[in-house]
Amino acid sequence: MPNKKKLKLVLCWHMHQPEYRDLQSGEFKLPWTYLHVIKDYVDMVAHLEAVPEAKAVVNFAPILLEQIEEYTNQVNGYLHHGHAITDPLLAALIAPTVPESSEDRWKLIKNCLRANRDRQINRYPAFKKLVEMTEWLEQHDDSLRYINSQFINDLLVWYHLAWIGETVKLTDDRVKRLIEKCSDYNLDDRVEMIRIIGGLLENVLKRYKVLAEQGQIELSVTPYAHPIMPLLLDLQTTHEAMPDALLPERDGYPGGEERVKWHLEKGVQTFTRFFGTKPKGCWPSEGSISKQTLKVLSDFGFGWAASGGTVLQNSLHLSDHKELTGIHHPFKLKDTKITCFFRDDGLSDLIGFEYSTWHADDAVGDFIQHLENIATHEPGDKVVSIIMDGENAWEYFPDNGYHFLSALYNRLASHPTIELSTFSDCLKNKTTVKPLTGLVAGSWVYGTFSTWIGSPDKNRGWEMLTDVKVAFDNAMSVNHLSNQQIQQAQIQLAVCEGSDWFWWFGDDNPGEAVSSFEKQFRLNLTNLYRLLGENPPTYLALPFTHGAGNPAMGGAMRPSSEH
């Protein structure tokens, strides 16, 4: 009997943070980039290093790469030359004194509570005790003046220890010592903490590059500042999956195709600077595709793109593919050269939303059983694509997903009928690519663009963005800016076009997160107007959206289905 073909499995981890800097002042407004580096990005690469037989695709948003570089430079600048660090939380870690005002102290204390209560805080009795004291203080704010420097310094060290990746905690004696010390952290301890952080920041991208050069992983890219390309190209594509959606009171986003090409060119340029090679594949921001988007990506020379499984289902339904007997294949839309892989939404969501409460061995066993069922019941050579964030899920797992990911890679790498692969390897090995006669535009979230457009607050964001783009175009046409000013304005506009601001707008998200993101969106727009030499509109001085929701996982992730 001929050898039965193995089921190909592609694990694709998307690493992405928006631009958290105020590009005019240089200050980082939120700390999530460096916190996810020291917790998630170092753990994800360590799991792959531990199982050389494993394979994966790792996708980086270029704007994240630049922020990691900036953090690395700042920490090195502090350690070697005493230069200031522009992230307030990281700067507080090594400040010789704590803030004097009660208001500033309370803000710093609150910032040290932004961690998963069950998995990051309660795991450590000393950290849990500090947090419980903080909760008492919140009920007795007149007692805040009695908080001393030691309390805040201990809280700062514990917060960063809680965010350190599990693979680091298991191997770094400095981290072990700090955890065992429990309290009374001095300045030497805090400088030790920042040395640990600096080393993780400096080496993390080099480690991914080495794995890519060895052929163990494929590195891919997203457009520079993570825009939703189909919406920049044509806001009307929203109606393909949501016919009744209300759209912004604007005719469309002016010059959208030119902007998409700018993001792609700048993204590939940035990626190549960090990794030394051009990427073969593109994970469009949030898996958002349309016919025009795929054509632009195809013309740009990418070999593959990927999107959500619901987008494929909607498109197959549109095309009435009667002969199709399975969805676990790459597809090619007619009149394009690019191959598109589609996420298995059910299996990806199991990792993102279910398995964190299971025992790791049971979760991996269940996952593999699903794959074996696919191999048994679907004909032909199959490719199952698991695509998800490389950061947000793991804080809900015990020990940052250490046991789950270790078991996952080890058991898959040695499985007799499942072959870990990459998207480019699938194409290189002549995996069957099926034709797709039509496409319904959408994203990996619900198969629609509803996360970024269609509600009053999200639409208002698009109207504000369109206004500043009109001002940008006018400034470019009169040609009164220097080359340096034009480059600064291009980057600032790109940041404004990022998808993350729109993700958080609206009542279905927590108030604190909505406030921080909409505030930064308004700051980004304000900075662009000033770069263009214009006074910002008065509406940018006022909040325009307020959260009220309590979504699963704090709103940082979405399931693929609304049901």
Side-chain angles (χ1 to χ4, degrees):
M1 288 180 66
N3 287 332
K4 188 177 179 182
K5 271 197 172 184
K6 287 187 175 184
L7 171 75
K8 288 186 175 64
L9 173 66
V10 178
L11 301 173
C12 178
W13 311 113
H14 174 45
M15 314 304 199
H16 150 234
Q17 298 295 321
E19 176 60 86
Y20 290 120
R21 289 173 291 184
D22 174 347
L23 291 181
Q24 299 314 298
S25 71
E27 180 184 349
F28 283 92
K29 293 295 185 181
L30 290 166
W32 305 124
T33 292
Y34 87 83
L35 291 176
H36 281 297
V37 167
I38 67 174
K39 184 171 81 70
D40 302 302
Y41 306 152
V42 297
D43 268 3
M44 295 300 278
V45 74
H47 284 293
L48 284 159
E49 290 167 339
V51 187
E53 302 80 20
K55 283 200 161 195
V57 175
V58 181
N59 188 86
F60 279 101
I63 211 159
L64 167 62
L65 299 173
E66 291 182 341
Q67 288 180 86
I68 295 173
E69 179 181 54
E70 176 63 17
Y71 270 114
T72 301
N73 292 339
Q74 287 199 20
V75 173
N76 282 336
Y78 164 77
L79 290 171
H80 300 303
H81 306 291
H83 294 165
I85 290 174
T86 64
D87 183 295
L89 188 60
L90 202 53
L93 177 64
I94 38 81
T97 59
V98 300
E100 289 202 8
S101 79
S102 293
E103 183 181 351
D104 289 341
R105 286 188 178 200
W106 184 241
K107 182 180 178 182
L108 183 56
I109 289 169
K110 290 282 283 183
N111 286 342
C112 290
L113 305 181
R114 294 188 294 197
N116 185 287
R117 184 61 181 259
D118 292 331
R119 303 300 193 192
Q120 291 177 278
I121 295 173
N122 292 349
R123 175 181 178 183
Y124 302 104
F127 190 21
K128 181 183 178 186
K129 182 179 178 182
L130 292 172
V131 171
E132 288 171 346
M133 291 169 69
T134 298
E135 291 168 341
W136 184 88
L137 284 170
E138 198 164 15
Q139 303 300 318
H140 305 82
D141 54 8
D142 57 325
S143 303
L144 192 61
R145 64 183 181 274
Y146 296 112
I147 287 296
N148 65 10
S149 300
Q150 192 63 60
F151 178 86
I152 292 176
N153 288 335
D154 283 4
L155 194 60
L156 279 162
V157 173
W158 267 115
Y159 184 71
H160 287 91
L161 285 172
W163 273 89
I164 288 285
E166 193 67 20
T167 59
V168 184
K169 288 172 181 169
L170 290 169
T171 57
D172 193 316
D173 289 338
R174 298 169 300 172
V175 175
K176 292 176 185 177
R177 181 189 72 79
L178 290 171
I179 290 174
E180 288 168 4
K181 185 172 181 179
C182 284
S183 62
D184 298 318
Y185 297 110
N186 56 34
L187 184 57
D188 287 341
D189 294 324
R190 290 183 281 127
V191 172
E192 180 100 292
M193 189 79 242
I194 209 161
R195 280 201 186 95
I196 295 165
I197 291 169
L200 297 173
L201 285 162
E202 186 167 20
N203 292 312
V204 64
L205 296 179
K206 298 173 187 174
R207 294 165 70 183
Y208 283 101
K209 184 180 179 183
V210 166
L211 292 186
E213 288 170 347
Q214 293 171 348
Q216 186 178 348
I217 65 172
E218 176 180 6
L219 292 171
S220 60
V221 75
T222 295
Y224 175 70
H226 211 266
I228 303 295
M229 289 190 288
L231 297 181
L232 291 188
L233 292 166
D234 184 0
L235 292 179
Q236 298 295 326
T237 56
T238 304
H239 284 151
E240 292 183 26
M242 299 193 302
D244 300 324
L246 293 174
L247 293 182
E249 293 182 2
R250 300 291 186 272
D251 292 334
Y253 189 69
E257 184 170 357
E258 181 186 350
R259 291 303 299 160
V260 163
K261 290 177 179 176
W262 185 94
H263 279 275
L264 290 171
E265 288 169 5
K266 179 70 173 173
V268 169
Q269 180 188 73
T270 305
F271 179 98
T272 305
R273 179 168 73 83
F274 280 92
F275 296 119
T277 60
K278 283 191 174 182
K280 295 177 182 175
C282 176
W283 167 247
S285 315
E286 306 294 359
S288 296
I289 58 173
S290 62
K291 284 176 276 194
Q292 192 177 357
T293 303
L294 287 183
K295 187 175 187 315
V296 170
L297 291 173
S298 179
D299 292 344
F300 203 81
F302 285 111
W304 62 262
S307 184
T310 310
V311 173
L312 176 61
Q313 297 283 10
N314 291 344
S315 302
L316 294 175
H317 180 72
L318 173 78
S319 307
D320 194 23
H321 277 254
K322 291 183 177 132
E323 296 178 9
L324 197 72
T325 52
I327 60 167
H328 295 104
H329 306 273
F331 289 81
K332 188 173 288 186
L333 182 67
K334 68 176 183 180
D335 301 326
T336 68
K337 300 172 190 170
I338 193 167
T339 302
C340 201
F341 293 83
F342 292 92
R343 176 181 188 259
D344 186 305
D345 287 336
L347 291 181
S348 300
D349 284 351
L350 281 173
I351 297 175
F353 293 91
E354 296 294 333
Y355 287 155
S356 59
T357 62
W358 292 36
H359 187 283
D361 290 337
D362 293 337
V364 173
D366 182 75
F367 183 76
I368 288 175
Q369 186 174 29
H370 282 294
L371 294 171
E372 290 170 344
N373 287 340
I374 292 169
T376 301
H377 295 110
E378 287 189 24
D381 54 343
K382 295 160 285 290
V383 179
V384 177
S385 303
I386 305 298
I387 307 173
M388 55 184 291
D389 286 348
E391 61 267 295
N392 289 318
W394 311 122
E395 67 197 63
Y396 296 91
F397 281 74
D399 304 337
N400 205 42
Y402 179 85
H403 311 288
F404 173 78
L405 287 164
S406 295
L408 183 73
Y409 280 123
N410 277 292
R411 290 182 62 181
L412 288 173
S414 61
H415 197 282
T417 60
I418 299 170
E419 177 187 344
L420 283 169
S421 188
T422 67
F423 292 131
S424 285
D425 280 351
C426 288
L427 298 179
K428 184 178 174 183
N429 295 328
K430 307 295 184 187
T431 298
T432 302
V433 178
K434 300 210 168 188
L436 195 60
T437 57
L439 182 73
V440 177
S443 75
W444 72 339
V445 188
Y446 315 145
T448 71
F449 298 133
S450 64
T451 300
W452 304 276
I453 198 169
S455 69
D457 290 355
K458 295 177 192 296
N459 288 350
R460 181 63 190 133
W462 277 99
E463 290 160 7
M464 293 158 70
L465 177 61
T466 301
D467 288 350
V468 81
K469 179 57 164 59
V470 170
F472 174 90
D473 289 345
N474 290 340
M476 294 302 116
S477 66
V478 298
N479 200 27
H480 70 276
L481 301 177
S482 68
N483 287 336
Q484 183 181 4
Q485 288 173 321
I486 290 172
Q487 288 177 3
Q488 287 180 314
Q490 289 271 20
I491 296 291
Q492 188 68 59
L493 174 61
V495 170
C496 296
E497 291 166 335
S499 70
D500 290 81
W501 322 117
F502 298 89
W503 174 291
W504 291 101
F505 300 160
D507 290 342
D508 55 341
N509 285 304
E512 186 178 353
V514 171
S515 176
S516 61
F517 278 87
E518 78 88 30
K519 185 177 179 181
Q520 187 146 0
F521 179 66
R522 288 186 290 113
L523 173 66
N524 291 332
L525 296 176
T526 299
N527 283 343
L528 180 51
Y529 277 110
R530 287 179 175 151
L531 280 171
L532 299 173
E534 292 203 20
N535 291 322
T538 55
Y539 63 65
L540 287 179
L542 298 171
F544 68 98
T545 180
H546 305 273
N550 185 28
M553 312 303 199
M557 297 191 293
R558 297 276 194 275
S560 58
S561 170
E562 295 186 84
H563 305 294

